Amino acid sequence: MDSSSAGPAPAVYPLPAPDDDSRFSLGLVLDLAAVLAEHGYPPITSGADLLNLQQALFGFLYTLDVT
């Protein structure tokens, strides 16, 4: 079978939520905020915006679904 007709790779995210993941830190969220600003988005200066970004990132990375 030709690999070009294999279709898209399966999704990896969301991952099962761990009890603790040291990679998910304020530093990660601040790095992501900086990348967004570098790409022309308004800088995040509000604590509420930072919290919303953190929650959105958590929702992308992890699932709490145990089914």
Side-chain angles (χ1 to χ4, degrees):
M1 181 174 179
D2 185 330
S3 64
S4 64
S5 63
V12 176
Y13 296 94
L15 303 168
D19 290 332
D20 186 31
D21 187 349
S22 62
R23 299 171 299 175
F24 191 81
S25 64
L26 179 58
L28 175 63
V29 178
L30 293 173
D31 286 348
L32 182 54
V35 168
L36 290 171
E38 288 171 10
H39 283 267
Y41 291 92
I44 294 177
T45 57
S46 160
D49 286 341
L50 194 60
L51 180 60
N52 286 334
L53 179 60
Q54 184 178 31
Q55 290 174 332
L57 181 58
F58 188 91
F60 171 77
L61 292 173
Y62 304 116
T63 181
L64 298 175
D65 186 15
V66 292
T67 58

